[in-house]
Amino acid sequence: MWRRDFMQVSASVLGQEYGLTGEEMNRLFLKQGILTGEPGSYDLTTKGHQYAVTKDFHRGTGGYAHYNRYWTTRTYDENIKDVLDLSAETIAEVKKEVADSRAARYAAQAANRLKANNDFLAREAEKKAEKIAEEKATKETIERIVQYKKVGKIGLVIVGVTATCYGVYRSAPKVKRWWNSRKEIVNTESNQE
């Protein structure tokens, strides 16, 4: 059973004496039955409650989430050293486990980053291809419009010429009759004088 008259220290401070980081010390506590859970979400076991104190803190009174911080601190009685296996082999084993865990985390992060980069590049390439296709379709549409305008102008000229020719064809006999009748009138008038 732990006593309150001993100084309480964090896992990081406790581990410094043995060349361990806070993460490595927590792994040691996990292996030796003081803690249970996963990194970032540890809890004390029954054995751990004899040597540790957990305090929850809250800062903030409302409003924005970043003003309402919650955190937990856990301190250990220095007498915990008496129940821990702190042999060189155990310390080396814990350091290797933490290093392997860290390497696996970094590899997963690198793989996730690579996947995210590849996904981003694929989306950007797709957007670029869509933009190029859209520009090509716009260019083809503009070219068609220009061609239709040319065809339209040629068609208007043809329709105009055809209409003029048809008008001449339909009006030529009438003009000819009028001309002949006018000629006769002029001839008749000039004969009478």
Side-chain angles (χ1 to χ4, degrees):
M1 191 92 169
W2 65 280
R3 297 174 19 193
R4 293 191 182 270
D5 57 341
F6 286 98
M7 188 169 114
Q8 296 284 314
V9 293
S10 69
S12 297
V13 171
L14 198 57
Q16 285 176 349
E17 186 176 331
Y18 305 100
L20 298 172
T21 65
E23 183 180 5
E24 292 166 340
M25 200 66 191
N26 281 331
R27 179 65 65 113
L28 181 74
F29 288 149
L30 183 67
K31 286 178 69 72
Q32 297 190 13
I34 304 294
L35 293 177
T36 183
E38 296 291 321
S41 180
Y42 288 123
D43 199 10
L44 291 170
T45 62
T46 306
K47 181 180 176 182
H49 280 289
Q50 297 175 21
Y51 300 100
V53 176
T54 302
K55 293 181 183 175
D56 294 320
F57 294 92
H58 173 245
R59 181 186 76 193
T61 57
Y64 299 103
H66 59 275
Y67 292 131
N68 289 308
R69 294 200 44 221
Y70 292 89
W71 70 95
T72 301
T73 62
R74 184 170 293 121
T75 55
Y76 299 89
D77 187 333
E78 287 188 2
N79 285 335
I80 199 168
K81 296 177 197 175
D82 298 336
V83 297
L84 293 176
D85 174 14
L86 295 165
S87 65
E89 296 84 28
T90 303
I91 290 174
E93 185 179 312
V94 165
K95 284 187 174 205
K96 182 178 180 336
E97 286 176 8
V98 169
D100 291 346
S101 173
R102 191 175 295 139
R105 256 190 340 264
Y106 291 159
Q109 288 173 349
N112 289 340
R113 228 181 346 259
L114 181 63
K115 182 183 180 314
N117 285 342
N118 289 339
D119 290 347
F120 172 77
L121 291 174
R123 283 191 308 272
E124 288 301 310
E126 187 177 304
K127 286 179 187 176
K128 187 174 181 179
E130 287 175 4
K131 185 177 179 183
I132 289 171
E134 185 178 306
E135 288 174 354
K136 183 179 177 184
T138 302
K139 185 178 177 183
E140 288 174 355
T141 302
I142 290 171
E143 287 175 357
R144 259 190 238 116
I145 289 171
V146 168
Q147 287 175 350
Y148 291 154
K149 283 183 179 179
K150 285 180 185 176
V151 168
K153 288 177 185 176
I154 292 170
L156 283 176
V157 169
I158 291 172
V159 167
V161 169
T162 304
T164 304
C165 290
Y166 182 74
V168 168
Y169 168 76
R170 292 294 287 173
S171 61
K174 294 177 183 174
V175 170
K176 190 174 181 183
R177 271 184 262 129
W178 173 81
W179 184 258
N180 287 337
S181 69
R182 176 87 176 136
K183 208 172 170 187
E184 282 179 19
I185 294 172
V186 170
N187 281 344
T188 330
E189 288 176 3
S190 60
N191 283 340
Q192 287 179 357
E193 291 179 8

